[in-house]
Amino acid sequence: MWIVNLNYWGCNQYITQRALGADLKTARNGILFAAFLKLLMPIIVVLPGIAAYVMWKDGLFQNEMMQHGEVNPDHAYPVLLNLLPAGLKGLSFAALTAAVVASLAGKANSIATIFSLDIYKKVFNTEASG
């Protein structure tokens, strides 16, 4: 986890670019808030898996979790989503979709910045403004 967190907080161009684009107080508060949210990740990620395992051990969702005669752990999240009422199920799916889209948008922005400053300006057009 040390290597992953070092990459996320220190080497991730998207996080660094966001922090450097703000004034010091805002950047500091934003990174502290993101760190707080990062502390919740084990609960958000691990707790549903534990719940699915306990329910499966108690005899629930035996058919839903099986694929070709073996338990498929990839079915745990969809099975748990099916427990939610219609409104919360849609909200959960929308949140998951929004997280994926936001992550891809941030990565695309970072890639465009890296290409513009490190490749295009240095290789193709050295007269381009920075």
Side-chain angles (χ1 to χ4, degrees):
M1 286 304 294
W2 283 100
I3 295 170
V4 171
N5 283 317
L6 179 65
N7 175 43
Y8 183 79
W9 294 107
C11 302
N12 189 334
Q13 199 262 341
Y14 172 67
I15 298 293
T16 307
Q17 184 179 7
R18 290 279 186 176
L20 292 176
D23 62 282
L24 184 61
K25 185 177 182 336
T26 305
R28 191 176 293 160
N29 288 337
I31 288 179
L32 287 174
F33 181 67
F36 171 72
L37 293 177
K38 191 82 167 157
L39 290 174
L40 297 176
M41 285 306 291
I43 295 168
I44 294 169
V45 171
V46 174
L47 198 58
I50 292 172
Y53 177 74
V54 168
M55 285 193 269
W56 182 77
K57 278 292 191 187
D58 288 343
L60 300 170
F61 309 119
Q62 296 290 330
N63 293 333
E64 291 89 347
M65 296 287 290
M66 297 297 238
Q67 182 180 25
H68 306 298
E70 295 181 5
V71 176
N72 186 352
D74 292 336
H75 290 176
Y77 188 71
V79 165
L80 289 177
L81 276 183
N82 284 331
L83 294 175
L84 297 174
L88 286 178
K89 188 186 306 185
L91 183 65
S92 299
F93 186 72
L96 179 65
T97 305
V100 169
V101 169
S103 177
L104 290 175
K107 289 181 184 357
N109 184 28
S110 297
I111 290 168
T113 302
I114 291 170
F115 175 79
S116 298
L117 296 177
D118 293 341
I119 298 173
Y120 181 77
K121 187 175 178 183
K122 290 180 181 175
V123 176
F124 296 111
N125 187 359
T126 55
E127 301 295 320
S129 63

